[in-house]
C-alpha cells in the first residue's frame, strides 16, 4: 500500500484560523479533513475516526506521547501519532494522513489516496 | 454458648473491637449486647492519643460506629458483679447477663512518691487527661515526664508541642528499656536531646514539690538534683484494672489481671476477659494487637467457635519525637545461643539490630532506631527465614524491596488484624488495585497503619502500578496540581506544563487542568488557550453522541418546569428535528444536533429563559426532587424549593467527576437521594444530609453525615463538602471513592468540614461564595461573543455545509442515527462513499 498524492493542493483557510492544539474540519474535494497546528507544525488527517466510524477527529485533544505529537479521538480516546497516523493504542489501526502546508498565510491541503 | 443477654464492661479499643467482631458474625442475633462505659465518650484510638496535640480532633480518633443492636451506656461504670444472680450493678441500675465480658483495660501506675496529688500532676491515659494537660500547660514554661518508656516519650513530645521546656526522668539507664537495647537507647537519646528534651537516666523521682501557688513546681531526684516543672506527667507504667473481678471472687494473675485460659475465659464459665485487664495464662499484654486477638477469640467462642489465643505479638513501631523506633520479636536476644547482627550509621543516625537463631538462618527479633523502613518486612519475617542477607535488610537505602517478594505466604503482614501475605495476594488477585481497596477488603493497615508501606510494596510486587502521577506529562497528582495552580497563581496550561511538567499534554491532563482552572474561577471555559484543553463536550458545551452529533440539555432545576417552557422545548425539538427524551435526572435531552446548529438551538432556549444544564461537563448535573409537602400527603418539607435552590447554587461547578444530588420530602425517598453524591431527606425538624452515594458502574448508597439541619447549616456543609472534594480528589474519582480513600473516612471529613480541624473552612466557604457570585451561563456567553461563535461551524472552508455523514432513520416516530455499519478496527478502512447530493464546496 503506497500512499500517492493524486490531487492538487487546495487552499483551505488562513493560517490564523487555526488555534494551536485545537483542530478544525475542512471539506476538500468531498473528503472531510481534520487540520491541526501543534508545536509549530501543520498536520492534516482524515476526520473519520477509524474505530468509532464518526467524522469527529478534528474535535480530539492534541498532545504528545513520548515526544511524539498525538491526537486522541473524542469518541473512545484512542491516541494516534499525528506524523504517521499510526494508532498507539491498537495494533493495525491507522488514521489516514493528508499533506498540509502553509503558503502566504494560507493553509493548503493535498489529499492522499491509498491504493 | 447459646446466646441471650451479653454485658460488656468497658468501651476501650479492645472492648469496641470485641463488640464489632461479635456483631459481624452473630447473624442469628443470638446476643443482646449492653456495653457499660466509664468515660463519657465512646471508644477512641488510644494508640494515637498524642495526635490530639497535633491538632487531630477527638472526633477523628473515634472508633465507634453506631449499632442499633448494641445498647451503649456512656458514663455508666460497673460498680459490682453478682455472680450468683448473674447481674452487673451500676450506680443507676442492674444489668442481668448470660455472658459477661470484662474489657476494663488498665490504669496508669503512679509510684508512691510524695506530691503526686498536687495540682498540675497528670497521668497520660484518656482524652480527658490530655485536655487537662493542655489546660494546665497554657501559659506555663516547664514540664517533666516521669518514665522514659513509650508512653513517657509520647507525653514528652506532647509537652514540647505545648511549648514547655521538657525533661524526662527514667529509672532505667536508657530510654525505652523494654523495647530497645543499650546501643539503640543511646541513639534514641541523641535524637531526643537534640529536640531540646533533657533526659535524666538511671535516677528515681523521690518527691514532687509544690510552688508558692500550691501547684507542682519541681521534682527531687535520687541523685540529689532537682528538675523544674510547672506540669508533671506520670507515665511510669500501667496496671490491669482487675478490681471488679477481685471483688467478685475471681482469680487474678501473679502480677494482677483477671486470670483466663487460652480461650480467654475465667474460672466462671459465664465470664470472659479481653485486652489489658486479662492475664492470659497468667500474663498481661499491654499492647493493642494481642488485645484485639483476645477480642476475636471471645467473639468466636460466644458463637460456639473454637478459637484460642495465638500468643502475643509484642512488636511496636512508633514515631516518637520525629524518630522512628521499632522493636519486634526477641529484641533483647533472650533466646539461648542467638546471634546479633548490628548496624550503626552515625551519618544517617540510624541503629539496627537483628537477632538471629544460632544457625543464623531464622530471624528472631530486632530493634530499629532512626530508620524503621525495614520494619514491616522484618516483623513479618520473624520466625521464618531471612528474606535477604542481613546487611541488605538493614542498609537504609536497601528499603528491603526484594525482601517483600521473598516473604512466605503465611507471614503476617498486618499483625493488628492477623492478615497474612496470602490474604493480601488473594485480595490483589481479586481486583484490589490500591491501598484503600486492600484496607477495605482485608482490614490490613486499618489499625496502627505500620504495614501500609508493605501493602504498597506487595501491590508493586504483584505488578500493580501505584504512581499518583497524573500522566506522562505531570508527576504530580490532581490534588498536587490543584495546590500548585492555586498557590502559584498559574492561569494557563502552557505555564503549568512548562514549570511543572513536560511535553505537550494529552487527553488526560488537559481536561484535568481545564477543570482545575475552571474551579479556581479563571473565566469562560472557551477563553483563549483554555479552549484547546477541553474535552469535546466542554468545547462544544453539549454531549458528543456516537454519530458525531451532539445532544442539548437545558437546565430544569429540581425538575420543575412551567408549561410555557415545556412548549418551547417541544417547539425547538420539532423545528430542529431533534430526538427528545426525558432522562432519569428529570430533564429533557434533545439529541441529533449538528455543531453549527448548536448556537441556533441555544438562542431559542436562552431567549425562553433556559440556560446550559452542564450535562456535558464534569460538573454539577441535577438536583432531583419529589413534590414534597407542596403536594404530597406525606411530605414534611419543601423538597422542590430546596432542590431548585441547591441546583442554582451549584450550577456550573466543575469537579473531578460529575456530581448529582436529590432532595426527598420524607423518608419514603421518592427522589432516591441516597444514590447521589449528596442527598437530602426531610425530617419533621429539618434536613438529614447523606454523602458519598452514586449510581453508575458500582452503585453505592450515601452515608448519613448529619441530621436535623437547618437550611443554612445544610448549605454550609454541602458548600464545604463540595469544595474540599474538588480540591483534593483524584481525576475521575467519585465522591464515594474519595471518602473511602480519605484517611479516617467520614469521621475525618466531619472533622474537616464541621470541626474545622484543618482550619480550611473559611477558605472553602469563600471559594464557594466566589463560585456562586461569578456564575454566568456558558451558552449565553458564547452567543454574545463572535469569537467564540466562530468555533461552531461544520467546516472551516464551508461553514454553511452540514456534515453530510450525519443522517437519520426514524424509530417510534422520532429521528435516530442511521445505522450504517461503522468500520471495524483493523478491517478495511478505505474511504467510505460520501453521501450523494453533496452541496458544492466553495473554494
Amino acid at each position: 500500500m503506497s500512499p500517492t498524492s493524486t490531487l492538487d493542493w487546495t487552499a483551505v483557510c488562513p493560517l490564523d484560523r487555526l488555534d494551536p492544539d485545537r483542530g478544525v474540519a475542512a471539506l476538500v474535494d468531498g473528503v472531510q479533513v481534520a487540520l491541526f497546528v501543534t508545536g509549530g507544525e501543520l498536520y492534516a488527517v482524515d476526520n473519520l475516526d477509524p474505530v468509532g466510524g464518526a467524522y469527529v477527529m478534528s474535535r480530539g485533544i492534541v498532545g504528545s506521547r513520548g515526544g511524539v505529537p498525538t491526537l486522541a479521538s473524542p469518541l473512545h480516546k484512542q491516541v494516534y501519532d499525528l506524523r504517521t497516523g499510526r494508532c498507539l493504542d491498537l495494533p493495525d489501526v491507522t488514521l489516514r494522513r493528508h499533506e498540509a502546508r502553509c503558503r502566504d498565510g494560507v493553509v493548503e491541503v493535498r489529499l492522499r489516496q491509498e491504493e | 454458648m447459646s446466646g441471650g443477654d451479653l454485658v460488656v464492661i468497658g468501651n476501650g479499643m479492645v472492648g469496641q473491637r470485641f463488640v464489632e467482631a461479635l456483631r459481624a458474625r452473630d447473624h442469628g442475633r443470638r446476643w443482646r449486647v449492653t456495653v457499660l462505659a466509664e468515660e463519657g465518650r465512646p471508644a477512641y484510638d488510644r494508640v494515637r492519643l498524642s495526635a490530639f496535640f497535633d491538632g487531630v480532633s477527638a472526633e477523628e480518633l473515634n472508633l465507634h460506629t453506631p449499632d442499633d443492636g448494641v445498647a451503649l451506656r456512656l458514663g455508666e461504670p460497673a460498680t459490682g458483679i453478682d455472680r450468683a444472680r448473674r447481674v452487673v450493678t451500676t450506680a443507676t441500675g442492674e444489668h442481668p447477663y448470660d455472658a459477661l465480658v470484662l474489657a476494663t483495660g488498665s490504669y496508669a501506675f503512679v509510684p508512691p512518691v510524695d506530691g503526686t496529688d498536687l495540682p498540675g500532676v497528670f497521668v497520660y491515659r484518656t482524652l480527658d487527661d490530655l485536655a487537662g494537660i493542655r489546660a494546665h500547660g497554657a501559659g506555663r514554661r516547664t514540664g517533666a515526664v516521669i518514665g522514659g518508656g513509650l508512653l513517657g516519650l509520647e507525653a514528652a513530645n506532647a509537652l514540647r508541642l505545648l511549648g514547655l521546656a521538657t525533661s524526662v526522668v527514667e529509672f532505667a539507664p536508657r530510654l525505652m528499656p523494654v523495647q530497645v537495647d543499650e546501643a539503640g537507647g543511646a541513639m534514641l537519646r541523641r535524637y531526643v536531646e537534640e529536640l531540646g528534651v533533657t533526659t535524666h537516666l538511671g535516677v528515681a523521682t523521690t518527691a514532687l514539690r509544690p510552688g508558692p501557688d500550691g501547684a507542682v513546681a519541681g521534682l527531687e531526684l535520687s541523685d540529689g538534683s532537682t528538675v523544674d516543672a510547672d506540669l508533671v506527667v506520670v507515665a511510669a507504667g500501667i496496671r490491669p484494672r482487675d478490681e471488679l473481678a477481685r471483688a467478685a471472687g475471681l482469680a487474678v494473675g501473679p502480677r494482677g489481671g483477671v486470670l483466663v485460659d487460652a480461650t480467654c475465659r475465667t474460672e466462671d464459665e459465664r465470664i470472659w476477659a479481653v485486652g489489658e485487664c486479662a492475664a492470659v495464662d497468667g500474663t498481661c499484654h499491654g499492647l493493642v494487637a494481642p488485645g484485639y486477638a483476645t477480642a476475636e477469640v471471645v467473639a468466636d467462642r460466644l458463637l460456639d467457635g473454637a478459637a484460642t489465643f495465638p500468643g502475643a505479638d509484642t512488636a511496636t513501631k512508633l514515631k516518637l519525637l520525629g524518630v522512628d523506633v521499632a522493636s519486634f520479636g526477641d529484641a533483647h536476644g533472650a533466646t539461648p545461643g542467638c546471634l546479633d547482627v548490628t548496624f550503626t550509621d552515625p551519618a544517617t543516625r540510624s541503629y539496627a539490630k537483628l537477632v538471629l537463631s544460632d544457625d543464623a538462618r531464622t530471624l528472631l527479633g530486632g530493634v530499629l532506631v532512626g530508620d524503621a523502613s525495614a520494619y514491616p518486612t522484618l516483623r513479618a519475617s520473624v520466625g521464618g527465614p531471612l528474606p535477604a542477607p542481613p546487611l541488605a535488610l538493614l542498609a537504609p537505602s536497601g528499603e528491603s524491596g526484594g525482601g517483600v517478594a521473598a516473604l512466605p505466604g503465611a507471614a503476617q503482614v498486618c499483625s493488628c488484624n492477623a492478615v497474612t501475605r496470602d490474604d493480601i495476594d488473594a485480595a490483589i488477585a481479586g481486583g484490589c488495585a490500591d491501598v484503600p481497596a486492600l484496607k477495605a477488603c482485608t482490614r490490613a493497615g486499618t489499625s496502627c497503619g505500620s504495614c501500609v508501606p508493605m501493602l504498597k510494596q506487595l501491590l508493586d510486587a504483584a505488578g500493580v502500578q501505584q504512581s499518583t502521577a497524573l500522566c506522562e506529562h505531570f508527576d504530580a497528582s490532581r490534588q498536587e496540581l490543584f495546590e500548585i495552580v492555586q498557590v502559584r497563581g498559574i492561569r494557563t496550561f502552557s505555564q503549568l506544563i512548562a514549570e511543572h511538567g513536560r511535553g505537550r499534554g494529552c487527553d488526560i491532563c488537559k481536561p484535568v487542568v481545564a477543570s482545575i482552572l475552571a474551579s479556581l474561577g479563571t473565566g469562560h471555559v472557551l477563553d483563549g488557550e483554555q479552549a484547546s484543553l477541553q474535552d469535546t463536550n466542554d468545547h462544544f458545551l453539549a454531549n458528543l453522541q456516537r454519530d458525531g452529533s451532539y445532544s442539548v440539555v437545558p437546565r430544569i432545576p429540581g425538575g420543575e418546569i412551567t408549561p410555557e417552557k415545556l412548549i418551547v422545548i417541544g417547539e425547538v425539538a420539532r423545528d430542529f428535528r431533534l430526538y427528545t427524551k426525558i432522562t432519569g435526572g428529570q430533564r429533557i435531552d434533545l439529541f441529533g444536533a449538528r455543531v453549527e446548529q448548536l448556537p441556533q438551538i441555544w438562542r431559542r432556549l436562552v431567549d425562553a429563559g433556559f440556560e446550559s444544564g452542564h450535562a456535558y461537563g464534569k460538573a454539577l448535573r441535577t438536583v432531583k426532587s419529589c413534590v414534597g409537602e407542596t403536594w404530597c400527603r406525606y411530605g414534611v418539607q419543601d423538597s422542590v424549593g430546596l432542590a431548585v435552590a441547591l441546583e442554582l447554587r451549584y450550577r456550573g461547578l466543575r469537579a473531578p467527576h460529575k456530581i448529582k444530588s436529590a432532595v426527598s420530602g420524607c423518608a419514603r425517598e421518592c427522589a432516591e437521594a441516597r444514590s447521589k453524591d449528596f442527598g437530602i431527606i426531610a425530617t419533621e425538624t429539618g434536613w438529614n444530609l447523606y454523602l458519598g452515594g452514586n449510581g453508575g458502574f458500582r452503585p453505592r448508597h450515601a452515608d448519613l453525615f448529619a441530621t436535623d439541619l437547618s437550611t443554612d447549616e445544610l448549605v454550609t456543609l454541602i458548600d464545604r463538602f463540595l469544595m474540599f472534594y474538588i480540591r483534593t480528589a483524584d481525576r475521575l474519582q467519585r465522591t464515594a471513592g474519595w471518602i473511602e480513600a480519605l484517611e479516617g473516612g467520614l469521621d475525618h471529613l466531619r472533622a474537616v468540614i464541621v470541626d474545622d480541624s484543618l482550619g480550611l473552612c473559611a477558605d472553602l466557604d469563600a471559594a464557594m461564595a466566589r463560585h456562586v457570585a461569578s456564575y454566568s451561563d456558558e451558552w449565553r456567553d458564547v452567543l454574545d461573543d463572535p469569537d467564540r461563535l466562530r468555533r461552531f461551524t461544520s467546516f472551516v472552508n464551508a461553514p454553511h455545509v452540514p456534515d453530510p455523514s450525519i443522517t437519520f432513520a426514524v424509530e417510534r416516530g422520532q429521528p435516530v442515527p442511521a445505522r450504517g455499519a461503522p468500520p471495524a478496527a483493523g478491517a478495511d478502512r478505505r474511504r467510505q462513499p460520501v453521501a450523494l447530493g453533496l452541496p458544492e464546496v466553495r473554494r
Side-chain angles (χ1 to χ4, degrees):
Chain A
M1 204 159 68
S2 62
T4 51
S5 303
T6 57
L7 297 170
D8 290 336
W9 289 98
T10 303
V12 173
C13 65
L15 181 63
D16 62 13
R17 185 67 183 75
L18 291 181
D19 293 329
D21 291 358
R22 193 82 228 185
V24 297
L27 261 186
V28 180
D29 289 330
V31 175
Q32 290 198 33
V33 174
L35 281 171
F36 303 89
V37 170
T38 180
E41 293 286 324
L42 197 54
Y43 295 96
V45 294
D46 241 31
N47 199 29
L48 175 67
D49 179 338
V51 177
Y55 288 78
V56 295
M57 294 309 291
S58 59
R59 305 174 211 157
I61 289 181
V62 173
S64 65
R65 191 185 277 188
V68 171
T70 56
L71 171 65
S73 163
L75 275 178
H76 293 121
K77 318 294 182 196
Q78 292 90 6
V79 172
Y80 297 86
D81 182 340
L82 267 178
R83 301 170 313 178
T84 63
R86 197 167 59 84
C87 181
L88 301 177
D89 296 323
L90 296 171
D92 302 329
V93 175
T94 308
L95 179 64
R96 207 153 72 102
R97 287 173 303 133
H98 303 288
E99 291 177 78
R101 69 182 183 190
C102 180
R103 285 216 159 171
D104 302 328
V106 174
V107 177
E108 298 179 343
V109 172
R110 183 157 68 177
L111 298 182
R112 289 190 190 191
Q113 293 191 338
E114 285 158 12
E115 302 301 323
Chain B
M1 302 208 54
S2 56
D5 287 312
L6 170 65
V7 174
V8 182
I9 303 179
N11 189 229
M13 294 179 78
V14 174
Q16 176 65 26
R17 178 59 167 269
F18 162 72
V19 170
E20 284 175 18
L22 181 87
R23 293 282 299 156
R25 293 177 217 171
D26 186 8
H27 306 298
R29 298 239 167 176
R30 289 157 59 180
W31 292 103
R32 288 178 300 279
V33 184
T34 301
V35 179
L36 303 174
E38 182 174 51
E39 287 186 66
R41 52 167 62 87
Y44 53 87
D45 188 348
R46 228 178 282 271
V47 170
R48 290 178 60 218
L49 202 55
S50 294
F52 184 67
F53 287 109
D54 272 333
V56 173
S57 68
E59 190 64 31
E60 281 173 274
L61 296 175
N62 177 49
L63 290 176
H64 178 261
T65 44
D67 180 340
D68 55 17
V70 177
L72 174 61
R73 307 185 73 98
L74 295 173
E76 187 177 343
T79 53
I81 302 167
D82 184 337
R83 288 168 56 196
R85 292 170 52 225
R86 295 212 299 265
V87 166
V88 178
T89 54
T90 69
T92 54
E94 295 192 334
H95 300 276
Y97 64 81
D98 295 296
L100 172 62
V101 174
L102 303 173
T104 47
S106 47
Y107 63 89
F109 168 66
V110 179
V113 171
D114 282 351
T116 52
D117 54 349
L118 291 172
V121 181
F122 298 88
V123 296
Y124 201 81
R125 192 70 194 151
T126 65
L127 276 171
D128 287 342
D129 293 334
L130 268 59
I133 291 170
R134 179 142 74 183
H136 187 82
R140 289 187 161 77
R141 292 183 308 105
T142 55
V145 178
I146 299 176
L150 269 176
L151 204 58
L153 291 182
E154 277 205 35
N157 196 35
L159 299 192
R160 225 172 54 85
L161 291 173
L162 292 176
L164 304 179
T166 305
S167 308
V168 172
V169 179
E170 167 57 46
F171 181 67
R174 62 176 183 269
L175 295 171
M176 288 183 70
V178 178
Q179 291 85 9
V180 173
D181 62 355
E182 199 179 323
M187 186 71 78
L188 186 57
R189 181 182 184 174
R190 280 179 52 191
Y191 275 107
V192 169
E193 297 205 324
E194 269 175 30
L195 290 167
V197 174
T198 311
T199 58
H200 304 266
L201 304 181
V203 291
T205 306
T206 51
L208 305 183
R209 54 175 174 79
D213 63 350
V216 71
L219 288 70
E220 291 170 8
L221 305 184
S222 57
D223 62 0
S225 61
T226 59
V227 172
D228 288 343
D230 305 324
L231 187 156
V232 173
V233 175
V234 181
I238 55 171
R239 297 289 184 271
R241 292 189 60 179
D242 55 15
E243 66 272 15
L244 279 172
R246 284 177 195 264
L250 292 168
V252 295
R255 293 182 176 178
V258 186
L259 191 62
V260 295
D261 59 16
T263 72
C264 298
R265 187 152 70 174
T266 66
E267 60 191 353
D268 182 326
E269 63 172 16
R270 291 184 181 268
I271 304 181
W272 315 71
V274 295
E276 293 178 353
C277 72
V280 186
D281 290 330
T283 305
C284 290
H285 301 285
L287 291 166
V288 77
Y292 280 174
T294 60
E296 299 285 339
V297 167
V298 175
D300 185 66
R301 289 274 166 179
L302 287 177
L303 295 168
D304 300 325
T308 54
F309 185 67
D313 180 350
T314 57
T316 43
K317 175 180 177 267
L318 284 169
K319 203 173 188 69
L320 288 169
L321 300 138
V323 189
D324 275 340
V325 180
S327 120
F328 53 94
D330 181 9
H332 292 295
T335 309
C338 66
L339 308 170
D340 283 359
V341 179
T342 60
F343 175 88
T344 308
D345 183 354
T348 60
R349 295 190 308 172
S350 56
Y351 167 78
K353 177 175 79 172
L354 296 186
V355 179
L356 306 177
S357 60
D358 53 5
D359 60 359
R361 287 186 176 169
T362 305
L363 181 65
L364 300 176
V367 175
L368 304 168
V369 176
D371 175 6
S373 54
Y375 168 74
T377 317
L378 291 173
R379 189 201 55 202
S381 306
V382 168
L386 277 176
L391 270 182
L393 288 170
L394 295 181
S397 57
E399 276 290 330
S400 60
V404 170
L407 277 184
Q412 277 204 357
V413 171
C414 172
S415 59
C416 300
N417 295 285
V419 184
T420 64
R421 186 202 169 148
D422 280 342
D423 298 334
I424 301 290
D425 284 347
I428 293 172
C432 292
D434 52 25
V435 171
L438 282 178
K439 282 181 167 179
C441 182
T442 67
R443 276 189 100 147
T446 56
S447 297
C448 77
S450 71
C451 62
V452 167
M454 192 147 61
L455 298 182
K456 289 187 183 138
Q457 289 171 23
L458 286 170
L459 282 162
D460 286 341
V464 180
Q465 283 287 331
Q466 288 302 293
S467 168
T468 60
L470 193 58
C471 63
E472 70 173 59
H473 304 100
F474 290 99
D475 294 331
S477 66
R478 180 187 176 279
Q479 178 182 0
E480 290 161 344
L481 277 183
F482 197 107
E483 287 169 9
I484 290 169
V485 170
Q486 187 181 24
V487 171
R488 304 284 311 277
I490 290 173
R491 311 280 292 190
T492 66
F493 181 81
S494 333
Q495 188 191 352
L496 184 66
I497 201 164
E499 294 177 12
H500 300 278
R502 65 185 76 85
R504 294 182 196 159
C506 64
D507 58 309
I508 293 170
C509 59
K510 281 185 167 182
V512 165
V513 174
S515 166
I516 291 171
L517 292 171
S519 299
L520 288 170
T522 48
H524 195 274
V525 294
L526 297 185
D527 276 352
E529 186 199 90
Q530 251 171 272
S532 76
L533 308 179
Q534 310 292 348
D535 219 333
T536 187
N537 282 8
D538 273 306
H539 193 78
F540 289 101
L541 309 174
N543 286 29
L544 178 67
Q545 302 299 333
R546 62 190 295 269
D547 62 344
S549 70
Y550 287 81
S551 65
V552 171
V553 184
R555 184 169 300 290
I556 302 177
E560 183 182 65
I561 188 166
T562 62
E564 287 73 22
K565 282 189 169 177
L566 204 49
I567 288 167
V568 170
I569 289 180
E571 287 175 345
V572 169
R574 180 193 61 207
D575 295 350
F576 288 88
R577 287 210 68 215
L578 302 172
Y579 170 91
T580 309
K581 179 156 193 339
I582 297 170
T583 67
Q586 300 185 330
R587 308 205 277 191
I588 302 172
D589 283 16
L590 307 170
F591 289 81
R594 297 187 308 267
V595 165
E596 78 280 6
Q597 291 179 312
L598 290 172
Q600 306 164 42
I601 293 169
W602 295 341
R603 171 56 67 197
R604 294 269 298 270
L605 293 171
V606 166
D607 285 348
F610 285 105
E611 61 184 29
S612 165
H614 292 95
Y616 43 86
K618 300 292 180 222
L620 177 96
R621 297 288 175 88
T622 59
V623 183
K624 192 176 171 181
S625 69
C626 65
V627 293
E629 68 179 5
T630 315
W631 290 95
C632 177
R633 287 175 294 152
Y634 301 107
V636 292
Q637 305 274 359
D638 177 14
S639 59
V640 181
L642 181 67
V644 171
L646 291 177
E647 184 162 339
L648 294 179
R649 181 170 182 82
Y650 302 123
R651 62 188 161 172
L653 187 66
R654 294 280 190 311
H657 202 284
K658 63 186 172 191
I659 309 168
K660 294 182 183 179
S661 175
V663 184
S664 280
C666 78
R668 285 173 180 75
E669 251 283 71
C670 293
E672 297 161 312
R674 292 196 62 200
S675 64
K676 306 300 184 197
D677 296 280
F678 59 100
I680 298 109
I681 301 177
T683 70
E684 294 284 349
T685 51
W687 306 103
N688 284 357
L689 174 61
Y690 294 80
L691 297 181
N694 58 251
F697 180 66
R698 198 156 60 100
R700 187 185 184 283
H701 262 165
D703 291 320
L704 181 61
F705 184 76
T707 56
D708 292 328
L709 299 164
S710 70
T711 304
D712 284 348
E713 291 168 337
L714 175 79
V715 170
T716 300
L717 287 184
I718 300 172
D719 283 0
R720 294 172 182 175
F721 163 70
L722 289 174
M723 271 300 162
F724 189 44
Y725 163 66
I726 287 169
R727 294 193 169 193
T728 61
D730 281 339
R731 164 182 176 263
L732 300 184
Q733 186 176 39
R734 288 181 184 268
T735 54
W738 171 71
I739 291 172
E740 280 169 20
L742 280 180
E743 197 103 11
L746 211 58
D747 288 337
H748 176 66
L749 183 62
R750 210 173 267 125
V752 173
I753 69 174
V754 179
D755 305 332
D756 201 11
S757 62
L758 300 180
L760 277 178
C761 287
D763 196 22
L764 299 175
D765 293 346
M768 187 59 83
R770 273 197 305 277
H771 167 79
V772 173
S774 67
Y775 176 79
S776 74
D777 175 33
E778 289 166 355
W779 286 355
R780 180 186 289 275
D781 294 341
V782 167
L783 295 174
D784 291 346
D785 182 341
D787 271 354
R788 291 172 183 149
L789 266 180
R790 203 179 61 159
R791 302 178 198 281
F792 294 85
T793 50
S794 52
F795 299 106
V796 66
N797 58 341
H800 304 292
V801 176
D803 179 348
S805 73
I806 296 177
T807 55
F808 298 101
V810 174
E811 276 180 22
R812 294 180 295 280
Q814 290 214 73
V816 294
R819 293 193 187 276
D828 180 16
R829 277 178 307 282
R830 285 192 204 178
R831 284 274 312 125
Q832 295 205 319
V834 172
L836 296 175
L838 203 76
E840 194 183 33
V841 178
R842 283 173 286 185
R843 305 215 176 160

